[in-house]
Amino acid sequence: MFEWRFRYILSLFFILSLVLGGRVVYLTLNSENVDRADLITVTRTPLSFQKLNSHIDELEEMSKNIDTYTLGEIKDITKKTTYLLNQVGIELKAQHESWSDIQNLFEGDAEKFKQLRVSLDKAQQLNNKELLRIKNVMDQANQRTITEELSGTTLSFVFGVSTSIVASYLIKMFQRRKRKVHNNIT
């Protein structure tokens, strides 16, 4: 019974470790998180600078009263100075790499923007050409020639006269029928 519980708990810890490890890998390798970390690294002042500034006060104090320090204390302060300078170098190198990554990102975005701008200009030119072509077609469709005007006027005159003649004939015919029906009733 104890062995079973122990294996179960061990399995849970193993699964939890895998899940947390996968999450760490995702957060570490996700490009958005990497870019965010680069921005933070570039904009912040290295912590080792602050530590080095406070250590400089200690070095100044030591230089004023060097006689009161033992050789071991001087050796320790020198080691600390060397360590802090190495830390400053590491942080400055990390800042430089982050700056390079951000600069490459900006250059890539600038190139994409240029390509997008060129595509947009081409689309605008095509739209302008299409609009001009449509306008020309519409203008040509709206422009009537002299022969079209004359033929339209002639046709409307002929249609108007023929309609008048047919209307007159129909009126006379209905009047005759009306008289005939009226005479038959009386």
Side-chain angles (χ1 to χ4, degrees), residues 6 32 59 61 63 66 69 80 89 98 101 106-107 111 120 125 131 159 174 181 185-186:
F6 181 71
E32 189 174 309
L59 286 173
E61 184 65 34
S63 66
I66 192 82
Y69 287 89
K80 186 176 180 182
S98 295
D101 292 344
F106 285 157
E107 288 172 358
E111 185 62 33
L120 184 64
Q125 287 174 353
L131 287 173
F159 182 72
F174 282 122
V181 171
I185 295 180
T186 49

Side-chain angles (χ1 to χ4, degrees), residues 18-177:
L18 283 177
V19 169
L20 290 176
R23 181 70 178 158
V24 166
V25 167
Y26 169 75
L27 290 175
T28 304
L29 299 179
N30 185 1
S31 65
E32 189 174 309
N33 291 334
V34 170
D35 293 341
R36 189 177 300 138
D38 284 339
L39 282 172
I40 291 170
T41 303
V42 166
T43 57
R44 75 174 177 84
T45 303
L47 296 175
S48 54
F49 272 147
Q50 295 169 353
K51 291 179 182 177
L52 187 62
N53 281 337
S54 65
H55 184 67
I56 287 175
D57 295 337
E58 192 177 332
L59 286 173
E60 286 177 355
E61 184 65 34
M62 184 186 77
S63 66
K64 288 179 185 174
N65 301 321
I66 192 82
D67 296 336
T68 60
Y69 287 89
T70 65
L71 191 56
E73 291 174 332
I74 294 173
K75 187 177 177 182
D76 290 340
I77 290 175
T78 306
K79 281 184 184 179
K80 186 176 180 182
T81 305
T82 304
Y83 172 77
L84 289 174
L85 287 173
N86 285 335
Q87 291 300 315
V88 168
I90 290 170
E91 287 188 45
L92 287 177
K93 182 179 176 186
Q95 271 189 333
H96 177 69
E97 289 172 359
S98 295
W99 180 251
S100 295
D101 292 344
I102 289 172
Q103 191 174 13
N104 290 338
L105 183 67
F106 285 157
E107 288 172 358
D109 286 347
E111 185 62 33
K112 287 178 187 175
F113 178 75
K114 286 178 187 176
Q115 291 173 354
L116 182 63
R117 186 69 187 155
V118 166
S119 298
L120 184 64
D121 288 343
K122 285 180 183 177
Q124 186 66 33
Q125 287 174 353
L126 288 176
N127 284 341
N128 288 341
K129 287 179 183 177
E130 287 296 314
L131 287 173
L132 276 173
R133 191 175 68 83
I134 291 171
K135 184 181 180 293
N136 287 338
V137 168
M138 294 288 286
D139 287 345
Q140 287 175 358
N142 288 334
Q143 287 179 346
R144 296 179 76 175
T145 62
I146 294 174
T147 57
E148 289 174 341
E149 288 289 330
L150 285 175
S151 64
T153 306
T154 305
L155 280 176
S156 39
F157 176 75
V158 169
F159 182 72
V161 169
S162 61
T163 307
S164 297
I165 293 171
V166 169
S168 299
Y169 174 75
L170 288 175
I171 289 173
K172 287 181 183 179
M173 189 173 86
F174 282 122
Q175 285 176 352
R176 278 188 221 151
R177 275 192 185 174

